Amino acid sequence: MPSMRELAKLEPAADASPVKVKTWGLRQGLMFLGMIIAGIGVLIGSYYSLVAMPSASELEPPANWHELPVEYAVSLWRELRRGMPQRPDPSLVGLVQQRDRAQRGVYVSWMVIATGGIIAASSFFVPRSRLRPQGPS
């Protein structure tokens, strides 16, 4: 049996069990990038659907036609008897254009969210990092 001094002179044995080294690899990077892109898409969609989109009440005619003042109703009737106006109301045109821009923004946000989802899903096809044996330092 060796003495304690002889044991102290021996080199320590290398650990034979593999140790998983935690690293930020391609798999985690793709997942993170995909989630960031999808989050940006959600923010874009939220802006266009909640802030930039005009409300439905702004684009619809008033529901209380029977409560219009008589003078206004008569003038409106005279205009309509001459035919449909050649130029639409500029405020209505602006609202319709604003609605169209907001809808395009929402569609773009859907594409951004889908792109982020595809990138995040592609991380599942990247092989997992392997266990690396830890040798003597």
Side-chain angles (χ1 to χ4, degrees):
M1 183 141 143
S3 67
M4 290 299 285
R5 285 188 186 187
E6 292 172 353
L7 286 176
K9 293 178 184 176
L10 295 175
E11 287 187 32
D15 189 11
S17 63
V19 175
K20 184 172 184 175
V21 178
K22 293 184 178 184
T23 60
W24 185 273
L26 179 62
R27 184 181 184 119
Q28 292 83 6
L30 283 174
M31 181 65 76
F32 181 73
L33 178 66
M35 290 297 133
I36 292 295
I37 291 173
I40 290 170
V42 167
L43 291 176
I44 291 170
S46 298
Y47 169 77
Y48 279 109
S49 63
L50 299 175
V51 176
M53 182 79 69
S55 67
S57 63
E58 292 176 306
L59 294 171
E60 293 178 3
N64 52 356
W65 286 100
H66 61 281
E67 294 177 6
L68 287 176
V70 175
E71 307 86 35
Y72 181 73
V74 170
S75 68
L76 184 62
W77 173 249
R78 287 184 182 147
E79 285 182 35
L80 290 175
R81 281 186 59 183
R82 283 183 260 162
M84 291 299 289
Q86 297 301 317
R87 293 185 180 173
D89 183 16
S91 64
L92 184 62
V93 170
L95 284 173
V96 169
Q97 289 173 345
Q98 181 182 356
R99 182 199 62 198
D100 292 343
R101 279 192 303 271
Q103 284 178 341
R104 282 192 301 271
V106 170
Y107 296 148
V108 166
S109 74
W110 291 349
M111 289 186 277
V112 171
I113 291 169
T115 302
I118 290 169
I119 291 172
S122 69
S123 70
F124 292 110
F125 297 104
V126 174
R128 291 183 182 210
S129 60
R130 300 183 188 273
L131 295 178
R132 297 182 187 139
Q134 184 179 10
S137 301

